[in-house]
Amino acid sequence: MQKSLHIDPGKCTGCLQCESACSLENEGLFNPSKSRVKVFTFHDEGRFVPYTCTQCDEAWCMQACPVDAIVINAETGSKDVLEDVCVGCKVCTIACPFGTINYNTDSGKVTKCDLCGGDPACVDACPTDAITYVDANATGLDKMRAWASKTDNAS
Amino acid sequence: MSWTRKLLRVNLTAGTVTEEALNMNWANDYLGQRGLATRYLVEEMDPAADALSPENKLIMATGPLTGTSASTGGRYSVICKSPLTNAIACSNSGGFFGAELKFAGWDMVIFEGKAASPMYLSIENDKATLLPANDLWGKSVWEADKIMRTKHQDPQARIACVGRSAEEGCLYAAVVNDLHRAAGRSGVGTVMASKNLKAVIVRGTLGLGGIHDPKAFAETTKAGKAVLAENAVTGQGLPAYGTQVLMNVINEVGALPTRNMREVQFEGAANVSAEAMAEPRKSDGKPNLTTNGACYSCTIACGRISTVDRTHFSVKDKPEYWINSGGLEYEAAWALGPDTGVDDIDALTYVNFLCNEDGLDPISFGSTVAAAMELFETGAISTAQTDGVELKFGSAEALCWAAEVTAKGEGFGKDLGLGSKRLCEKYGQPQFSMTVKGQEFPAYDPRGIQGIGLAYATSNRGACHLRGYTIASEILGIPEKTDPLESAGKAGLVKAFQDATAAVDSAGLCVFTTFAWGMDDIAPQVDAACEGNWSTEKMMEVGERIWNLEREFNAKAGITGADDTLPDRLLSLPANVGPAAGKVNELDKMLPEYYSARGWNADGSVSAETHQKFGLPG
């Protein structure tokens, strides 16, 4: 069963545990600036929204890469950057409509979410289940359940 | 190691910014943040110096766990001598500023001297620059934040800033970071402004590494988070209701100080409680509370994000306040509400916004307004002083007006900015000031909760609940229940809470974790992060060392055991109603026992033996 990250902004408190965990997993440091998942705080609206790569099937980044440095991980379905192939041209960062693949000035390569190979650190770190890793065919299950509970069969 | 082992020294007189190695011997004795910064302060300044002179220093300090993934590991403190109390000031704040400082590579920043004209400090990793702040001076924190963001074009930078109240000399001005988190108490913002320092903007992309034992750290922090999640207070009560969960609880036990602490129960408490914040209002069907929000790394998320009713008189013509921002926490709600007799939740939320916008400590501000209302009631002040405003208990209009003029330092706002002690002295009624060492009380009446009275009286920064939160034991039964009306045995309890809190603060963690965590939960996290042996015993020893060091700073500043007291109202005017009816605070019974438990002399001075035992300087 293929899984995908599912984000429920309504549950996010903006604590950045996900950014902390992501940077530790991928960079070996607590460094939110290098996290592949970002939490956006909309202060005036009182909202916190985590955001990261959704692993498009027809991934724009992958299509745009001139050296085939972005490949599909057969096991997880994630689009992974091959660091030793990436030449740091950044064309993928232009192609991606969502901004979720970014250049890292330290490595000279691009980085993006790779689902941590199937065990996403952000999911493990999130204290409120705002980010979950669920059946890719039923990411709407929780929402369906919530609405289902409001459906009155008796009337 | 978890410390970055670097500090930034900013000499505002000379305009220089230099890097220094952190004194690791001191870090081993004082851990970080509160403790370590106090050690630096003791070394570098004369405690007898005028708090608003260039001789005072101001230190922004993180702890070793600040910036890590330990739950609540995002705290920093601002340490200096206080202009409100003339004692040590150490005000702790959450938000994201402290962690960012760490990611930029700095454990602390020491500001010394005074700039010739307004400046702000910009930190981008190892590049730190003093920049002119003429365009920021005279602006609120919220306005200055916008200007700096436009100038630096960096939405991810974190900002700590002082408001107009600090510039105008209000003695309880806060340093506000991330728009609505504050190093709130004792006038640390006033000191910052006195140095002509408006703000610090920081961006850190270096990150934090060097965890001593990464595997143990991952395990112990994960276990710690599970404890917080499973605990009723930190897992359910605080996220759902915030600290405001206490409003009805404390009112019921008859310890909710009301109308300048004359009474101990407030008839309007339910109207300004957590439950009221969740009630949909008539105008738009929305509740006051929008959601809860967390500080960096915090898995509790007690923060309130709120709105003011747009149809409320305070904001109906001010669309700039039709936003979400930091909402009412218990202490602020109490000081602005029950203590002034106002039960209008929108007025309280609006005033809380103003306190954040211009950096007023809402506890000191609300308590000072309460004192002013009593002065007004007794005729010591009149509408001649208040620009025609009827400054009466229970008047939401008067409260909102008072906040507006104090935030800007205008008219009677200058008097309110003196704090309750100086205000009451100025108008010849010092007995109306509900303060210890010049600092206003927080939201627990020491007649109905005996131990907290001793904690207030002996707190190193003046009246304060966060120096030894015995409410946990006396009301909530954490770690074990003690009788709030009983003074026996409270000396040891207060000491234990004071020492533990000093250690928790110094680690860079939030004291709210201690509703669920004991030192046995905390020490392993520190031990995994830091080199050296950080056992429970060592943490308690470090906490006690810090407490004694702060006490010695105060002694050198001229504060003695005679200042370990409470206002006469709490020692001789019995509680009027509720479970504590007929009780006064029995400080005289607790204090000698406390001094003895501390190993101090009978006059409250630190004994030579205790000084030596903890290896204190000087």
Side-chain angles (χ1 to χ4, degrees):
Chain A
M1 180 180 74
Q2 192 166 309
K3 289 176 141 189
S4 71
L5 286 179
H6 181 57
I7 289 169
D8 182 350
K11 291 180 178 171
C12 179
T13 63
C15 73
L16 308 192
Q17 280 282 348
C18 56
E19 296 193 11
S20 190
C22 177
S23 59
L24 185 68
E25 175 74 22
N26 293 297
E27 310 286 333
L29 296 167
F30 297 115
N31 193 355
S33 73
K34 297 287 192 287
S35 173
R36 296 147 192 210
V37 56
K38 299 297 290 180
V39 177
F40 293 89
T41 297
F42 298 93
H43 171 266
D44 290 6
E45 291 82 33
R47 290 200 304 136
F48 308 101
V49 185
Y51 204 78
T52 190
C53 174
T54 55
Q55 316 293 348
C56 314
D57 269 5
E58 300 281 330
W60 278 268
C61 60
M62 192 167 66
Q63 310 277 2
C65 180
V67 294
D68 293 333
I70 301 174
V71 297
I72 300 175
N73 181 319
E75 212 168 305
T76 65
S78 66
K79 312 300 173 293
D80 297 352
V81 177
L82 301 174
E83 278 228 357
D84 51 352
V85 180
C86 173
V87 294
C89 74
K90 313 179 197 68
V91 167
C92 56
T93 69
I94 301 168
C96 173
F98 308 107
T100 53
I101 185 164
N102 286 282
Y103 180 68
N104 182 330
T105 51
D106 296 338
S107 63
K109 314 284 179 182
V110 292
T111 57
K112 67 180 288 298
C113 171
D114 61 0
L115 300 174
C116 297
D119 183 15
C122 56
V123 171
D124 190 44
C126 179
T128 62
D129 291 335
I131 310 175
T132 48
Y133 192 48
V134 298
D135 180 352
N137 293 301
T139 53
L141 204 63
D142 278 352
K143 267 187 206 164
M144 285 163 71
R145 185 182 293 111
W147 283 105
S149 74
K150 292 178 187 170
T151 304
D152 187 350
N153 291 327
S155 60
Chain B
M1 60 192 197
S2 257
W3 298 278
T4 68
R5 297 177 174 238
K6 284 194 318 180
L7 69 83
L8 194 61
R9 186 177 293 279
V10 181
N11 187 313
L12 292 156
T13 307
T16 56
V17 181
T18 46
E19 178 184 326
E20 242 172 66
L22 195 72
N23 186 321
M24 293 310 293
N25 290 330
W26 289 354
N28 189 50
D29 284 342
Y30 296 92
L31 189 51
Q33 226 236 36
R34 173 178 165 183
L36 186 55
T38 303
R39 182 65 189 85
Y40 272 92
L41 197 69
V42 164
E43 186 76 11
E44 296 191 9
M45 77 169 279
D46 175 5
D50 180 348
L52 296 178
S53 73
E55 282 177 74
N56 198 358
K57 299 205 178 186
L58 181 115
I59 306 177
M60 292 181 170
T62 66
L65 296 191
T66 308
T68 70
S69 61
S71 185
T72 78
R75 314 286 305 182
Y76 88 107
S77 274
V78 182
I79 294 95
C80 60
K81 179 174 176 171
S82 161
L84 185 71
T85 63
N86 288 317
I88 186 117
C90 171
S91 298
N92 194 310
S93 183
F96 301 84
F97 178 83
E100 198 74 23
L101 204 54
K102 210 73 182 282
F103 300 141
W106 304 103
D107 285 317
M108 58 170 79
V109 185
I110 301 178
F111 294 97
E112 51 194 32
K114 177 182 178 175
S117 60
M119 305 294 280
Y120 73 102
L121 181 70
S122 163
I123 302 175
E124 280 179 40
N125 295 334
D126 42 12
K127 188 176 142 217
T129 323
L130 277 169
L131 297 165
N134 298 309
D135 56 338
L136 305 176
W137 207 256
K139 298 285 194 291
S140 76
V141 170
W142 292 2
E143 291 165 340
D145 192 285
K146 271 195 189 125
I147 295 170
M148 278 184 277
R149 281 188 195 287
T150 305
K151 199 183 286 183
H152 288 262
Q153 289 291 302
D154 188 350
Q156 298 191 80
R158 306 291 186 182
I159 294 171
C161 187
V162 295
R164 290 170 291 191
S165 66
E167 295 173 15
E168 295 296 328
C170 168
L171 291 173
Y172 47 84
V175 178
V176 178
N177 58 283
D178 303 291
L179 297 175
H180 58 84
R181 307 306 311 186
R185 301 227 70 192
S186 313
V188 295
T190 319
V191 172
M192 186 161 150
S194 78
K195 299 188 169 303
N196 264 332
L197 179 66
K198 179 70 178 177
V200 178
I201 179 169
V202 58
R203 178 86 163 108
T205 62
L206 300 174
L208 177 66
I211 293 292
H212 178 61
D213 183 343
K215 190 165 170 283
F217 189 73
E219 283 164 10
T220 56
T221 53
K222 189 163 190 168
K225 287 171 195 170
V227 171
L228 294 176
E230 285 154 19
N231 180 278
V233 177
T234 51
Q236 295 155 32
L238 285 174
Y241 299 110
T243 53
Q244 270 278 68
V245 71
L246 288 165
M247 184 65 77
N248 287 324
V249 174
I250 301 297
N251 194 41
E252 273 165 36
V253 301
L256 188 69
T258 299
R259 283 175 281 267
N260 202 31
M261 305 193 91
R262 286 191 305 209
E263 298 150 76
V264 295
Q265 284 185 322
F266 181 46
E267 66 284 356
N271 298 336
V272 294
S273 66
E275 292 80 353
M277 289 170 73
E279 249 340 271
R281 56 194 169 214
K282 288 197 186 94
S283 64
D284 57 4
K286 290 179 184 165
N288 172 283
L289 178 71
T290 302
T291 187
N292 64 324
C295 297
Y296 181 80
S297 237
C298 176
T299 57
I300 302 173
C302 74
R304 305 291 89 185
I305 309 294
S306 285
T307 57
V308 184
D309 185 338
R310 291 181 187 191
T311 63
H312 189 260
F313 75 84
S314 60
V315 301
K316 67 180 168 57
D317 300 322
K318 297 174 188 164
E320 64 271 31
Y321 295 104
W322 297 355
I323 57 167
N324 279 276
S325 195
L328 292 169
E329 318 288 345
Y330 173 59
E331 307 298 332
W334 161 77
L336 305 174
D339 205 34
T340 66
V342 175
D343 70 349
D344 175 340
I345 201 163
D346 288 296
L348 268 53
T349 306
Y350 167 65
V351 171
N352 197 58
F353 277 17
L354 294 187
C355 287
N356 288 329
E357 184 184 13
D358 263 304
L360 293 172
D361 167 7
I363 301 179
S364 286
F365 168 71
S367 300
T368 303
V369 172
M373 285 173 165
E374 190 161 1
L375 290 170
F376 189 86
E377 189 178 87
T378 57
I381 57 173
S382 68
T383 50
Q385 278 86 28
T386 63
D387 201 17
V389 172
E390 297 278 339
L391 195 56
K392 287 183 173 163
F393 281 115
S395 169
E397 290 79 4
L399 176 69
C400 292
W401 165 81
E404 287 162 4
V405 294
T406 310
K408 294 175 196 155
E410 293 171 354
F412 189 65
K414 280 272 187 202
D415 275 359
L416 290 171
L418 294 170
S420 147
K421 178 169 181 275
R422 291 169 179 83
L423 176 79
C424 292
E425 281 168 357
K426 178 172 175 178
Y427 291 101
Q429 307 290 338
Q431 74 280 11
F432 291 165
S433 172
M434 296 299 116
T435 49
V436 173
K437 301 182 177 83
Q439 178 154 286
E440 291 74 12
F441 283 89
Y444 313 89
D445 196 293
R447 289 166 290 203
I449 309 175
Q450 293 288 318
I452 201 70
L454 178 63
Y456 290 165
T458 60
S459 157
N460 285 327
R461 66 171 186 176
C464 172
H465 57 299
L466 292 173
R467 284 295 170 275
Y469 193 71
T470 61
I471 307 304
S473 167
E474 298 183 278
I475 301 299
L476 304 171
I478 301 166
E480 56 194 27
K481 185 83 169 83
T482 53
D483 182 354
L485 300 175
E486 182 58 65
S487 60
K490 293 296 163 66
L493 186 75
V494 167
K495 175 181 179 293
F497 271 89
Q498 287 174 336
D499 294 346
T501 305
V504 172
D505 286 347
S506 300
L509 298 175
C510 175
V511 73
F512 288 179
T513 57
T514 60
F515 287 119
W517 287 352
M519 201 54 85
D520 290 341
D521 297 294
I522 294 168
Q525 301 184 52
V526 177
D527 189 60
C530 304
E531 58 204 358
N533 169 33
W534 295 89
S535 62
T536 294
E537 294 70 32
K538 165 131 185 200
M539 288 292 283
M540 290 305 291
E541 180 198 313
V542 165
E544 189 169 2
R545 179 179 293 116
I546 293 164
W547 193 266
N548 279 283
L549 183 69
E550 291 174 340
R551 182 82 177 181
E552 292 202 338
F553 179 97
N554 287 352
K556 287 175 194 151
I559 293 163
T560 69
D563 298 299
D564 294 338
T565 189
L566 295 169
D568 191 51
R569 180 165 287 177
L570 306 171
L571 298 174
S572 62
L573 177 70
N576 59 333
V577 290
K583 293 284 285 185
V584 294
N585 187 268
E586 297 169 1
L587 182 65
D588 56 335
K589 291 185 190 163
M590 298 184 281
L591 198 57
E593 199 188 327
Y594 172 83
Y595 285 169
S596 164
R598 282 248 167 252
W600 293 347
N601 300 316
D603 66 356
S605 58
V606 176
S607 66
E609 296 78 38
T610 301
H611 177 93
Q612 199 171 359
K613 178 180 164 193
F614 291 105
L616 298 176

